[in-house]
Each structure stands twice: as structure tokens, then as C-alpha cells.
Amino acid sequence: MTQRDTTFAVDEEFLRTFDYESPEYSEDPHSVLRAVRTASPIVRSDLYGGYWFVTTYAEGYRVLADPKTFSSSVTLVPPPEEPFDLIPVTVDPPDHTAYRKLMTPLFSPGEVARLEPAIRARARALIATYLSAGAGDFVAEVAIPLPSTVFLELLGLPQSDLPRLLQWKEAILRGRVAADDDVRNHALQVEIPGFLEYASTIVADRRAAPPTGAPDVLTGLVSGTINIDGGRPMTDAEIVSAVALLVVAGLDTVTNALAFSMETLAKRPDLRQHLAENPELIPTAVEEFLRFWSTVTTSRYTTTDVEIAGQLIKAGDMVSISTPAAGRDPAQYEDPEEIRFDRAVNRHLAFGAGPHRCLGSHLARLEMKIALEEVMTMMPQFVIASCAEPTHVFGHMMECTNLKLTIQP
Amino acid sequence: VTPETGIRVDASRCQGHGRCYALAPNLFAFDVEGYAVVATPAPANEADRQLADRAVDSCPEGAIFFSRDSAGG
């Protein structure tokens, strides 16, 4: 088994102060993760009041699949000041089960498949605009707007809401935690209240007038019953929270998965050509990109003392699971640093595992599949634009923030 | 198909990853909520039996079971 030489060595002191928001990590996260994983499947850092950091597939899966021991009441280290609950992400069973029972069918493979023509039309239109403008930043022109236009389709909302949605998304995901006081205050005092008012209005509108066309997710949330308090509809506040979750969890995740896939293909003409000539490989290529570029580090709150990989995790301890590290765990994958579109078995934690496994995984896969299919048809030959290295932000999310491409004839 | 042979999905373990029906749409389907159900409990040929083995190996939740009968099917 080949393993790239790590240029990064870790010692006790590094592990004790491990920080996935550190300069070393933001410079080259996978070298850091490889070194940490080589030291131990789970390490303890004293930062942020102390937390455990899991870097392997097996241990990561174990934590995610055991919500009784590892609660989702807190899912980020350090705990954020959330402007709203995110139903059902921050809810534990049994209430979690009740929300999921209503929401999961709305995102089932059969339901999302009905969106395929609409998603394809949106993808084509965005790529056509991108090409007619002479290419440029694929992230800003295609990878960012695509999931937001799909979000509007999914909820049965007009595409004319797109500019506002993109603005609110920025405020919710970045503005509210920005270092700049003005940016942060604007997000917290103007943008987020504006989004919550919008969400309340669309819920009220939908209650007043169900759509005449095919049922959408918003209609499903408004008209469904949840098994809480003996069975009742979701309240407006609960639906607003669920809509906020779709914004937080469903937009940038797809943007980054798609952007990293495109960056890889732009840098690897062999893979790009192979995929263009064999588009039937796109679904397994999507799985491989999801594994290789898993983007989320999520966390859990330990409810009882438990041992993992020989370490005693105490009740009250936070445990972070690095899905980027788990996706390249040599104990789980043969040649984990190699991108292969023909892995017969490719389990990964990109969508998590257990009861909180990503609600939108089938939609996310479909968006990525369609986007890559249309790319391979409309612009099969592309490379990184000269003198324009892609830019990234590597922290608790892995982000590709700028990807300038040149289209070859 | 007796309980000892054929393909089985443990509904209490399935979390709806969808690997099985992506891999073997002739053997697996999904219910209205997106959880896996068995479409073909007794795969008829060796190619499908190998697909069933791959589905077992691919399920992240370990929810799929496949045992061949004494005749190999």
C-alpha cells in the first residue's frame, strides 16, 4: 500500500493543542489529518474547553451511529451561538425520529427523482451563462447558484427569490460569525431577521393556499403530522427552523462537493477525459469525490462514560468526527489517496451515518450527477486558468471558494 | 425463500444511504421513505449473487444479509 510521505510530524504538544481552525490545518489539512490519524484514531485537545478528535472511519462511524451515548444537542466545537434551532439536526431521538418520519419521505430517492428535469434545466442554463461569459470562476457562476435554485424548486418558490436567498445564505453561514463587527451586526440585525420573516411568510402563504401543481417540500411540511404530543402538525416555528436547516445544510455542502470535484478534474486531464468518454461512470465518480473530498467535521456531546480505541471519553466531553480524515483512512480504503471511479465498495461518511445521516443525500447526489453530466457534455475540456490557483478555506468545513477555469476548444 | 437463505434487509438498521439500490437496482428498491427493501429475495444467477455480496459489503449500516443456499444460490 502506498502512502504519500507526510511532511508533517506531530508530537504530544501538537496533539494536546490540536485545532482544526489552526494555520497548519488551513494550509494543508490532509497532511495534518494524516499525521494525527497515524498517531491515534482519537486524540484529545485541550482547546475550546477540551474535546476529542476522531480521524478514522471505524471510530467515526461508531460515534455517529450511537446517538444515545453521543448526543446531537451540541454539534460544533466550540459551541456556536445559534440564532435558531436546526430541526432535526440538533434534536435527539425520540423527537428526532418524529421529525425525520415526516421529513425523510419528502427527500426520498423517488421524490427527488421527480426534480431531475428541473435540476437539469437549471444546470444547463447556469453552465450556458458561464460559458457565454468566457468561463471564469466556476464556483461563483455555477457551484454556488445551482443548489440555491434547486432549493427554490424544492420548496415551490419563485426563482426570482434567488438573489435574496444567496444574500441570506451568506449571512447565516458566514456573516453572523464574521470577525468584522459591521458585517456581523448587519447579518444578525438585518439579514437573519429578514430571512426569518421571509420563511414565516412563505409558511403562512402555503397554509393559506396549497399549490395547484405537484406537492413540494414546503407543502409536505405544512400538511404533515408529527408523532409528538400524541400527533400534531408542525408549528410555524418548527417549519421555519426546518427551512433554515435546508439553507445551512443543503447549499454550501453541494457547492463545495461540486467545486472540489471540478478542481480535481481540472487538474487531472486523465480523469476528466476518462469521465467524458465514459459518462456512465459519473455516479460512482460522485461517490469517490464525496469520499475523497468529504467536507464536514461534526461533533457530538458524550452522555455517559465510554471507551473508544483505548481512551476513556467522559460524560460531558465533546467529540468531533472528521469526515475528511475518515474518507482517507487507510484501514478502510485501499490506496486512500488515489481517486478511483471503479471502487466496488465505497462506504464513506460524507453524509454521516446513523439516525442523523444527511436527509438530503439523494438530492445532493442527483445534483452532483446532473452537474457533472452537463459539464461533460457542454464543456468537456477544461483546465485551471493560468496564474489562477483555486482558493480554499479549510476549517470545520472544507471550502473551495474560487475556481477559475479555462475552456479548451 | 427460507429465513436462512436469500437477501434480507434489517429495517431497524437501514438509514436510507441508498447504496444497495444504486448498486443493484434489480435486487433492491426503496420504500416511500427512502429505506431499502428487497426486490428480489432469491437472486437467480451468479452475477446477481455477486451483486448481492457487494451490496452486503457496501451497506454502511451493516443492514443487508445474504446467505446462499446449499446449491450456491
Short mmCIF file of all heavy atoms in Angstrom, two decimals, chain A residues 293-355:
data_model
loop_
_atom_site.label_atom_id
_atom_site.label_comp_id
_atom_site.label_asym_id
_atom_site.label_seq_id
_atom_site.Cartn_x
_atom_site.Cartn_y
_atom_site.Cartn_z
N TRP A 293 -13.25 14.06 -0.95
CA TRP A 293 -13.45 15.44 -0.51
C TRP A 293 -14.60 15.56 0.46
O TRP A 293 -15.44 16.46 0.32
CB TRP A 293 -13.68 16.36 -1.71
CG TRP A 293 -12.47 16.56 -2.58
CD1 TRP A 293 -12.34 16.18 -3.87
CD2 TRP A 293 -11.25 17.21 -2.23
NE1 TRP A 293 -11.10 16.53 -4.35
CE2 TRP A 293 -10.40 17.17 -3.36
CE3 TRP A 293 -10.78 17.81 -1.05
CZ2 TRP A 293 -9.11 17.71 -3.35
CZ3 TRP A 293 -9.50 18.35 -1.04
CH2 TRP A 293 -8.69 18.29 -2.19
N SER A 294 -14.68 14.67 1.43
CA SER A 294 -15.68 14.87 2.49
C SER A 294 -15.37 16.21 3.15
O SER A 294 -14.21 16.54 3.39
CB SER A 294 -15.61 13.74 3.52
OG SER A 294 -15.94 12.50 2.92
N THR A 295 -16.40 16.99 3.42
CA THR A 295 -16.13 18.39 3.80
C THR A 295 -16.45 18.73 5.25
O THR A 295 -16.02 19.77 5.73
CB THR A 295 -16.94 19.35 2.90
OG1 THR A 295 -18.32 19.04 3.01
CG2 THR A 295 -16.51 19.25 1.45
N VAL A 296 -17.23 17.90 5.93
CA VAL A 296 -17.80 18.33 7.22
C VAL A 296 -17.08 17.69 8.40
O VAL A 296 -16.83 16.48 8.41
CB VAL A 296 -19.30 17.98 7.28
CG1 VAL A 296 -19.88 18.36 8.63
CG2 VAL A 296 -20.06 18.66 6.16
N THR A 297 -16.75 18.49 9.40
CA THR A 297 -16.36 17.97 10.71
C THR A 297 -17.51 18.29 11.66
O THR A 297 -17.83 19.46 11.87
CB THR A 297 -15.06 18.62 11.21
OG1 THR A 297 -14.01 18.30 10.29
CG2 THR A 297 -14.68 18.11 12.58
N THR A 298 -18.18 17.25 12.16
CA THR A 298 -19.32 17.46 13.04
C THR A 298 -18.95 16.98 14.44
O THR A 298 -17.93 16.33 14.62
CB THR A 298 -20.57 16.73 12.51
OG1 THR A 298 -21.69 17.07 13.33
CG2 THR A 298 -20.37 15.22 12.53
N SER A 299 -19.76 17.32 15.43
CA SER A 299 -19.41 16.98 16.80
C SER A 299 -20.61 16.43 17.57
O SER A 299 -21.75 16.65 17.19
CB SER A 299 -18.84 18.21 17.53
OG SER A 299 -17.70 18.70 16.86
N ARG A 300 -20.31 15.74 18.64
CA ARG A 300 -21.34 15.15 19.50
C ARG A 300 -20.98 15.40 20.96
O ARG A 300 -19.81 15.55 21.30
CB ARG A 300 -21.46 13.64 19.25
CG ARG A 300 -21.93 13.26 17.84
CD ARG A 300 -23.37 13.66 17.58
NE ARG A 300 -23.85 13.16 16.29
CZ ARG A 300 -23.91 13.91 15.19
NH1 ARG A 300 -23.50 15.17 15.21
NH2 ARG A 300 -24.39 13.40 14.07
N TYR A 301 -22.01 15.39 21.81
CA TYR A 301 -21.87 15.58 23.25
C TYR A 301 -22.02 14.23 23.93
O TYR A 301 -23.04 13.55 23.75
CB TYR A 301 -22.96 16.56 23.73
CG TYR A 301 -23.01 16.79 25.21
CD1 TYR A 301 -22.21 17.77 25.81
CD2 TYR A 301 -23.88 16.06 26.02
CE1 TYR A 301 -22.27 17.99 27.18
CE2 TYR A 301 -23.94 16.27 27.38
CZ TYR A 301 -23.13 17.23 27.96
OH TYR A 301 -23.19 17.45 29.31
N THR A 302 -20.99 13.82 24.69
CA THR A 302 -21.00 12.49 25.30
C THR A 302 -21.90 12.47 26.54
O THR A 302 -21.76 13.31 27.43
CB THR A 302 -19.56 12.08 25.69
OG1 THR A 302 -18.70 12.33 24.58
CG2 THR A 302 -19.50 10.61 26.07
N THR A 303 -22.82 11.50 26.59
CA THR A 303 -23.78 11.47 27.71
C THR A 303 -23.36 10.54 28.84
O THR A 303 -23.78 10.73 29.98
CB THR A 303 -25.17 11.00 27.21
OG1 THR A 303 -25.04 9.71 26.61
CG2 THR A 303 -25.75 11.98 26.19
N THR A 304 -22.56 9.50 28.55
CA THR A 304 -22.08 8.60 29.60
C THR A 304 -20.64 8.22 29.31
O THR A 304 -20.20 8.24 28.16
CB THR A 304 -22.89 7.28 29.64
OG1 THR A 304 -22.93 6.73 28.32
CG2 THR A 304 -24.30 7.50 30.13
N ASP A 305 -19.90 7.86 30.36
CA ASP A 305 -18.51 7.45 30.17
C ASP A 305 -18.44 6.28 29.17
O ASP A 305 -19.26 5.35 29.24
CB ASP A 305 -17.89 6.97 31.50
CG ASP A 305 -17.68 8.13 32.46
OD1 ASP A 305 -18.11 9.26 32.13
OD2 ASP A 305 -17.09 7.91 33.54
N VAL A 306 -17.48 6.34 28.26
CA VAL A 306 -17.38 5.29 27.25
C VAL A 306 -15.93 5.19 26.80
O VAL A 306 -15.18 6.17 26.86
CB VAL A 306 -18.32 5.60 26.05
CG1 VAL A 306 -17.94 6.92 25.38
CG2 VAL A 306 -18.35 4.48 25.04
N GLU A 307 -15.49 4.00 26.37
CA GLU A 307 -14.12 3.83 25.90
C GLU A 307 -14.11 3.72 24.38
O GLU A 307 -14.90 2.99 23.80
CB GLU A 307 -13.53 2.56 26.52
CG GLU A 307 -12.01 2.55 26.44
CD GLU A 307 -11.42 1.27 27.03
OE1 GLU A 307 -11.66 1.00 28.21
OE2 GLU A 307 -10.75 0.56 26.27
N ILE A 308 -13.23 4.49 23.76
CA ILE A 308 -13.05 4.39 22.30
C ILE A 308 -11.56 4.26 22.02
O ILE A 308 -10.77 5.11 22.44
CB ILE A 308 -13.62 5.62 21.57
CG1 ILE A 308 -15.13 5.65 21.66
CG2 ILE A 308 -13.19 5.63 20.10
CD1 ILE A 308 -15.79 6.70 20.81
N ALA A 309 -11.19 3.20 21.32
CA ALA A 309 -9.80 2.96 20.94
C ALA A 309 -8.87 3.13 22.14
O ALA A 309 -7.82 3.76 22.05
CB ALA A 309 -9.39 3.88 19.79
N GLY A 310 -9.30 2.58 23.29
CA GLY A 310 -8.46 2.59 24.47
C GLY A 310 -8.48 3.89 25.26
O GLY A 310 -7.80 4.00 26.28
N GLN A 311 -9.24 4.86 24.82
CA GLN A 311 -9.30 6.14 25.53
C GLN A 311 -10.63 6.24 26.27
O GLN A 311 -11.67 5.87 25.72
CB GLN A 311 -9.22 7.32 24.55
CG GLN A 311 -7.96 7.34 23.71
CD GLN A 311 -6.76 7.85 24.47
OE1 GLN A 311 -6.89 8.34 25.60
NE2 GLN A 311 -5.58 7.73 23.88
N LEU A 312 -10.58 6.74 27.50
CA LEU A 312 -11.82 6.93 28.26
C LEU A 312 -12.41 8.29 27.93
O LEU A 312 -11.83 9.33 28.21
CB LEU A 312 -11.54 6.83 29.77
CG LEU A 312 -12.76 7.12 30.65
CD1 LEU A 312 -13.85 6.07 30.46
CD2 LEU A 312 -12.36 7.23 32.12
N ILE A 313 -13.58 8.27 27.30
CA ILE A 313 -14.31 9.50 26.99
C ILE A 313 -15.31 9.69 28.11
O ILE A 313 -16.11 8.79 28.38
CB ILE A 313 -15.05 9.39 25.64
CG1 ILE A 313 -14.20 8.69 24.57
CG2 ILE A 313 -15.53 10.75 25.17
CD1 ILE A 313 -12.94 9.37 24.18
N LYS A 314 -15.26 10.85 28.77
CA LYS A 314 -16.13 11.03 29.94
C LYS A 314 -17.43 11.72 29.56
O LYS A 314 -17.49 12.50 28.61
CB LYS A 314 -15.39 11.87 30.98
CG LYS A 314 -14.18 11.18 31.56
CD LYS A 314 -13.91 11.66 32.96
CE LYS A 314 -13.38 10.52 33.79
NZ LYS A 314 -12.59 10.93 34.92
N ALA A 315 -18.46 11.42 30.34
CA ALA A 315 -19.74 12.11 30.17
C ALA A 315 -19.49 13.61 30.19
O ALA A 315 -18.75 14.10 31.05
CB ALA A 315 -20.70 11.70 31.28
N GLY A 316 -20.06 14.32 29.25
CA GLY A 316 -19.86 15.77 29.17
C GLY A 316 -18.79 16.17 28.19
O GLY A 316 -18.71 17.33 27.79
N ASP A 317 -17.95 15.21 27.75
CA ASP A 317 -16.90 15.53 26.78
C ASP A 317 -17.50 15.74 25.39
O ASP A 317 -18.43 15.05 25.00
CB ASP A 317 -15.87 14.39 26.69
CG ASP A 317 -14.92 14.37 27.87
OD1 ASP A 317 -15.03 15.27 28.73
OD2 ASP A 317 -14.09 13.45 27.94
N MET A 318 -16.91 16.66 24.63
CA MET A 318 -17.29 16.83 23.22
C MET A 318 -16.39 15.93 22.37
O MET A 318 -15.21 15.77 22.65
CB MET A 318 -17.12 18.28 22.78
CG MET A 318 -18.16 19.25 23.32
SD MET A 318 -19.87 18.81 22.88
CE MET A 318 -19.80 18.91 21.08
N VAL A 319 -16.98 15.34 21.33
CA VAL A 319 -16.23 14.50 20.39
C VAL A 319 -16.48 15.03 18.98
O VAL A 319 -17.62 15.10 18.54
CB VAL A 319 -16.67 13.02 20.48
CG1 VAL A 319 -15.89 12.18 19.48
CG2 VAL A 319 -16.50 12.48 21.89
N SER A 320 -15.41 15.40 18.28
CA SER A 320 -15.51 15.84 16.88
C SER A 320 -15.14 14.68 15.96
O SER A 320 -14.17 13.98 16.23
CB SER A 320 -14.58 17.02 16.61
OG SER A 320 -15.04 18.17 17.28
N ILE A 321 -15.91 14.51 14.92
CA ILE A 321 -15.64 13.45 13.94
C ILE A 321 -15.24 14.12 12.64
O ILE A 321 -16.02 14.87 12.05
CB ILE A 321 -16.87 12.56 13.71
CG1 ILE A 321 -17.36 11.96 15.02
CG2 ILE A 321 -16.57 11.45 12.70
CD1 ILE A 321 -18.49 12.74 15.65
N SER A 322 -14.01 13.85 12.19
CA SER A 322 -13.55 14.44 10.93
C SER A 322 -13.92 13.51 9.78
O SER A 322 -13.25 12.49 9.57
CB SER A 322 -12.03 14.65 10.99
OG SER A 322 -11.56 15.00 9.70
N THR A 323 -14.97 13.86 9.02
CA THR A 323 -15.27 13.01 7.86
C THR A 323 -14.21 13.17 6.77
O THR A 323 -13.95 12.20 6.05
CB THR A 323 -16.68 13.27 7.28
OG1 THR A 323 -16.74 14.54 6.65
CG2 THR A 323 -17.75 13.18 8.36
N PRO A 324 -13.53 14.33 6.64
CA PRO A 324 -12.41 14.38 5.69
C PRO A 324 -11.31 13.38 6.02
O PRO A 324 -10.75 12.74 5.13
CB PRO A 324 -11.90 15.82 5.82
CG PRO A 324 -13.06 16.60 6.32
CD PRO A 324 -13.82 15.66 7.21
N ALA A 325 -11.00 13.22 7.33
CA ALA A 325 -9.97 12.26 7.72
C ALA A 325 -10.45 10.84 7.53
O ALA A 325 -9.72 9.98 7.03
CB ALA A 325 -9.56 12.50 9.18
N ALA A 326 -11.71 10.57 7.90
CA ALA A 326 -12.26 9.22 7.77
C ALA A 326 -12.28 8.78 6.30
O ALA A 326 -12.06 7.62 5.99
CB ALA A 326 -13.67 9.16 8.36
N GLY A 327 -12.50 9.74 5.40
CA GLY A 327 -12.59 9.43 3.97
C GLY A 327 -11.26 8.98 3.37
O GLY A 327 -11.23 8.46 2.26
N ARG A 328 -10.16 9.23 4.10
CA ARG A 328 -8.85 8.80 3.58
C ARG A 328 -8.15 7.87 4.57
O ARG A 328 -6.92 7.84 4.64
CB ARG A 328 -7.99 10.02 3.26
CG ARG A 328 -8.65 10.94 2.24
CD ARG A 328 -7.69 11.95 1.69
NE ARG A 328 -8.39 13.00 0.95
CZ ARG A 328 -7.78 13.97 0.30
NH1 ARG A 328 -6.46 14.03 0.29
NH2 ARG A 328 -8.47 14.89 -0.35
N ASP A 329 -8.95 7.13 5.31
CA ASP A 329 -8.41 6.22 6.32
C ASP A 329 -7.88 4.96 5.64
O ASP A 329 -8.65 4.21 5.05
CB ASP A 329 -9.54 5.88 7.30
CG ASP A 329 -9.10 4.88 8.37
OD1 ASP A 329 -7.91 4.49 8.37
OD2 ASP A 329 -9.95 4.51 9.19
N PRO A 330 -6.56 4.71 5.71
CA PRO A 330 -6.01 3.53 5.01
C PRO A 330 -6.54 2.21 5.58
O PRO A 330 -6.47 1.19 4.89
CB PRO A 330 -4.49 3.66 5.21
CG PRO A 330 -4.32 4.62 6.33
CD PRO A 330 -5.52 5.50 6.38
N ALA A 331 -7.08 2.23 6.80
CA ALA A 331 -7.66 0.99 7.33
C ALA A 331 -8.99 0.68 6.65
O ALA A 331 -9.46 -0.46 6.69
CB ALA A 331 -7.87 1.13 8.85
N GLN A 332 -9.59 1.67 6.03
CA GLN A 332 -10.90 1.47 5.40
C GLN A 332 -10.80 1.36 3.88
O GLN A 332 -11.60 0.68 3.26
CB GLN A 332 -11.82 2.64 5.79
CG GLN A 332 -13.21 2.60 5.18
CD GLN A 332 -14.07 1.46 5.72
OE1 GLN A 332 -13.76 0.89 6.76
NE2 GLN A 332 -15.13 1.12 5.00
N TYR A 333 -9.82 2.08 3.29
CA TYR A 333 -9.75 2.14 1.82
C TYR A 333 -8.37 1.71 1.34
O TYR A 333 -7.36 2.12 1.90
CB TYR A 333 -10.02 3.57 1.32
CG TYR A 333 -11.28 4.18 1.88
CD1 TYR A 333 -11.21 5.07 2.95
CD2 TYR A 333 -12.52 3.84 1.37
CE1 TYR A 333 -12.36 5.63 3.49
CE2 TYR A 333 -13.67 4.39 1.90
CZ TYR A 333 -13.59 5.28 2.96
OH TYR A 333 -14.72 5.81 3.49
N GLU A 334 -8.37 0.96 0.25
CA GLU A 334 -7.12 0.61 -0.40
C GLU A 334 -6.64 1.86 -1.14
O GLU A 334 -7.42 2.50 -1.86
CB GLU A 334 -7.40 -0.52 -1.39
CG GLU A 334 -6.18 -1.26 -1.85
CD GLU A 334 -6.59 -2.34 -2.84
OE1 GLU A 334 -7.42 -3.19 -2.47
OE2 GLU A 334 -6.09 -2.31 -3.97
N ASP A 335 -5.39 2.20 -0.98
CA ASP A 335 -4.84 3.40 -1.62
C ASP A 335 -5.77 4.61 -1.47
O ASP A 335 -6.29 5.14 -2.46
CB ASP A 335 -4.57 3.16 -3.11
CG ASP A 335 -3.53 2.08 -3.34
OD1 ASP A 335 -2.68 1.89 -2.45
OD2 ASP A 335 -3.58 1.42 -4.39
N PRO A 336 -5.98 5.05 -0.23
CA PRO A 336 -6.99 6.10 0.01
C PRO A 336 -6.67 7.42 -0.68
O PRO A 336 -7.59 8.20 -0.94
CB PRO A 336 -6.97 6.27 1.53
CG PRO A 336 -5.66 5.74 1.98
CD PRO A 336 -5.32 4.64 1.03
N GLU A 337 -5.39 7.66 -1.01
CA GLU A 337 -5.06 8.94 -1.64
C GLU A 337 -5.25 8.90 -3.16
O GLU A 337 -5.04 9.88 -3.85
CB GLU A 337 -3.61 9.35 -1.32
CG GLU A 337 -3.29 9.45 0.18
CD GLU A 337 -4.00 10.61 0.86
OE1 GLU A 337 -4.43 11.55 0.16
OE2 GLU A 337 -4.13 10.57 2.10
N GLU A 338 -5.61 7.72 -3.67
CA GLU A 338 -5.88 7.58 -5.10
C GLU A 338 -7.36 7.80 -5.38
O GLU A 338 -8.21 7.31 -4.64
CB GLU A 338 -5.51 6.16 -5.57
CG GLU A 338 -4.03 5.84 -5.49
CD GLU A 338 -3.21 6.69 -6.45
OE1 GLU A 338 -3.67 6.88 -7.59
OE2 GLU A 338 -2.14 7.16 -6.04
N ILE A 339 -7.64 8.53 -6.47
CA ILE A 339 -9.03 8.69 -6.91
C ILE A 339 -9.32 7.62 -7.94
O ILE A 339 -8.67 7.54 -8.98
CB ILE A 339 -9.25 10.09 -7.48
CG1 ILE A 339 -9.12 11.11 -6.34
CG2 ILE A 339 -10.63 10.19 -8.14
CD1 ILE A 339 -9.31 12.53 -6.78
N ARG A 340 -10.29 6.77 -7.62
CA ARG A 340 -10.66 5.66 -8.49
C ARG A 340 -12.17 5.67 -8.67
O ARG A 340 -12.90 5.68 -7.70
CB ARG A 340 -10.28 4.32 -7.85
CG ARG A 340 -8.83 4.05 -7.76
CD ARG A 340 -8.73 2.59 -7.35
NE ARG A 340 -7.44 2.29 -6.80
CZ ARG A 340 -7.23 1.24 -6.03
NH1 ARG A 340 -8.24 0.44 -5.72
NH2 ARG A 340 -6.04 0.99 -5.58
N PHE A 341 -12.58 5.62 -9.92
CA PHE A 341 -14.02 5.63 -10.19
C PHE A 341 -14.62 4.22 -10.18
O PHE A 341 -15.79 4.06 -10.44
CB PHE A 341 -14.28 6.28 -11.55
CG PHE A 341 -13.88 7.73 -11.60
CD1 PHE A 341 -13.50 8.33 -12.80
CD2 PHE A 341 -13.87 8.51 -10.45
CE1 PHE A 341 -13.13 9.67 -12.84
CE2 PHE A 341 -13.49 9.85 -10.48
CZ PHE A 341 -13.12 10.43 -11.68
N ASP A 342 -13.79 3.22 -9.91
CA ASP A 342 -14.30 1.85 -10.01
C ASP A 342 -14.17 1.10 -8.68
O ASP A 342 -14.06 -0.12 -8.66
CB ASP A 342 -13.55 1.09 -11.11
CG ASP A 342 -12.06 0.98 -10.80
OD1 ASP A 342 -11.59 1.67 -9.87
OD2 ASP A 342 -11.37 0.19 -11.47
N ARG A 343 -14.20 1.84 -7.56
CA ARG A 343 -14.17 1.12 -6.28
C ARG A 343 -15.46 0.32 -6.14
O ARG A 343 -16.54 0.89 -6.17
CB ARG A 343 -14.05 2.10 -5.11
CG ARG A 343 -12.69 2.74 -5.00
CD ARG A 343 -12.60 3.68 -3.80
NE ARG A 343 -11.37 4.46 -3.89
CZ ARG A 343 -10.20 4.06 -3.37
NH1 ARG A 343 -10.13 2.92 -2.71
NH2 ARG A 343 -9.13 4.81 -3.51
N ALA A 344 -15.31 -1.00 -5.97
CA ALA A 344 -16.50 -1.85 -5.88
C ALA A 344 -17.28 -1.52 -4.61
O ALA A 344 -18.50 -1.48 -4.59
CB ALA A 344 -16.10 -3.31 -5.90
N VAL A 345 -16.55 -1.29 -3.54
CA VAL A 345 -17.18 -0.95 -2.25
C VAL A 345 -16.63 0.39 -1.83
O VAL A 345 -15.42 0.58 -1.80
CB VAL A 345 -16.84 -2.02 -1.19
CG1 VAL A 345 -17.33 -1.58 0.17
CG2 VAL A 345 -17.46 -3.36 -1.59
N ASN A 346 -17.49 1.34 -1.58
CA ASN A 346 -17.01 2.68 -1.24
C ASN A 346 -17.91 3.29 -0.17
O ASN A 346 -18.63 4.25 -0.40
CB ASN A 346 -16.99 3.56 -2.50
CG ASN A 346 -16.16 4.82 -2.31
OD1 ASN A 346 -15.63 5.05 -1.22
ND2 ASN A 346 -16.06 5.63 -3.35
N ARG A 347 -17.85 2.70 1.02
CA ARG A 347 -18.56 3.30 2.15
C ARG A 347 -17.82 4.56 2.54
O ARG A 347 -16.59 4.57 2.58
CB ARG A 347 -18.52 2.36 3.35
CG ARG A 347 -19.24 1.07 3.18
CD ARG A 347 -18.97 0.24 4.41
NE ARG A 347 -19.69 -1.03 4.35
CZ ARG A 347 -19.56 -1.97 5.27
NH1 ARG A 347 -18.76 -1.77 6.30
NH2 ARG A 347 -20.23 -3.07 5.16
N HIS A 348 -18.53 5.61 2.84
CA HIS A 348 -17.85 6.82 3.33
C HIS A 348 -18.78 7.55 4.28
O HIS A 348 -19.97 7.23 4.36
CB HIS A 348 -17.42 7.71 2.17
CG HIS A 348 -18.55 8.12 1.27
ND1 HIS A 348 -19.56 8.96 1.68
CD2 HIS A 348 -18.86 7.77 0.00
CE1 HIS A 348 -20.41 9.13 0.70
NE2 HIS A 348 -20.02 8.41 -0.35
N LEU A 349 -18.23 8.51 5.00
CA LEU A 349 -19.02 9.24 5.99
C LEU A 349 -19.37 10.64 5.51
O LEU A 349 -19.73 11.50 6.31
CB LEU A 349 -18.25 9.33 7.33
CG LEU A 349 -17.98 7.99 8.03
CD1 LEU A 349 -17.22 8.23 9.34
CD2 LEU A 349 -19.28 7.24 8.32
N ALA A 350 -19.28 10.89 4.19
CA ALA A 350 -19.56 12.24 3.69
C ALA A 350 -20.96 12.70 4.09
O ALA A 350 -21.17 13.89 4.34
CB ALA A 350 -19.42 12.28 2.16
N PHE A 351 -21.90 11.77 4.16
CA PHE A 351 -23.26 12.11 4.58
C PHE A 351 -23.51 11.74 6.03
O PHE A 351 -24.65 11.72 6.48
CB PHE A 351 -24.28 11.38 3.69
CG PHE A 351 -24.28 11.83 2.26
CD1 PHE A 351 -24.04 10.93 1.23
CD2 PHE A 351 -24.54 13.16 1.93
CE1 PHE A 351 -24.05 11.35 -0.09
CE2 PHE A 351 -24.55 13.58 0.60
CZ PHE A 351 -24.31 12.68 -0.41
N GLY A 352 -22.45 11.43 6.78
CA GLY A 352 -22.62 10.97 8.15
C GLY A 352 -23.06 9.52 8.17
O GLY A 352 -22.88 8.78 7.20
N ALA A 353 -23.66 9.11 9.31
CA ALA A 353 -24.15 7.74 9.48
C ALA A 353 -25.13 7.77 10.64
O ALA A 353 -25.23 8.77 11.35
CB ALA A 353 -22.99 6.78 9.77
N GLY A 354 -25.85 6.66 10.80
CA GLY A 354 -26.80 6.59 11.90
C GLY A 354 -28.02 7.46 11.68
O GLY A 354 -28.27 7.90 10.55
N PRO A 355 -28.79 7.72 12.73
CA PRO A 355 -30.09 8.38 12.56
C PRO A 355 -30.02 9.80 12.01
O PRO A 355 -30.98 10.28 11.42
CB PRO A 355 -30.70 8.37 13.96
CG PRO A 355 -29.58 8.09 14.88
CD PRO A 355 -28.57 7.31 14.14
#
